[in-house]
Amino acid sequence: MCSTEWSFGRILCPACGEETVEKLAIYMANQFDHVRVEACETCHYYIKTVDLTKNGLAVPVVDELATIPLNLWAQEHQYVKLQANLLGL
Ligand SMILES: [Zn+2]
């Protein structure tokens, strides 16, 4: 497993274990149709996930850097990134 690959149940928060679907929000931006922000309303942690079925050439580290606007958006909404990327962003 690389740093941004994550095999975890999609209906469970990896930070606090929240299982209530209504508390687990998924945000997508039009310019990044293969990257999602999955946020938890309970603990306010979020992770970004890359959908490899939509972009088979997606490179996690490159996508992480290319989608930094999503990080900034999440921060503006008081979400905290669960896992820092390789550059510590
Ligand atoms: Zn949570």
Side-chain angles (χ1 to χ4, degrees):
M1 280 302 192
C2 69
S3 65
T4 49
E5 216 167 333
W6 199 292
S7 60
F8 212 94
R10 287 176 56 185
I11 54 167
L12 180 73
C13 172
C16 72
E18 177 63 69
E19 294 183 66
T20 307
V21 174
E22 291 76 31
K23 300 269 189 179
L24 300 172
I26 295 177
Y27 301 102
M28 296 168 67
N30 289 332
Q31 66 266 44
F32 308 120
D33 66 346
H34 63 293
V35 180
R36 289 195 305 262
V37 171
E38 299 186 13
C40 172
E41 300 294 342
T42 299
C43 66
H44 274 249
Y45 276 106
Y46 77 93
I47 58 173
K48 279 195 300 194
T49 57
V50 178
D51 188 344
L52 294 177
T53 64
K54 288 183 180 171
N55 185 348
L57 297 177
V59 179
V61 174
V62 173
D63 282 324
E64 175 64 31
L65 296 177
T67 57
I68 281 177
L70 289 178
N71 296 34
L72 298 177
W73 174 90
Q75 283 172 20
E76 287 174 4
H77 291 76
Q78 275 73 55
Y79 291 118
V80 179
K81 198 167 194 294
L82 177 60
Q83 186 182 39
N85 64 31
L86 292 176
L87 297 180
L89 294 172

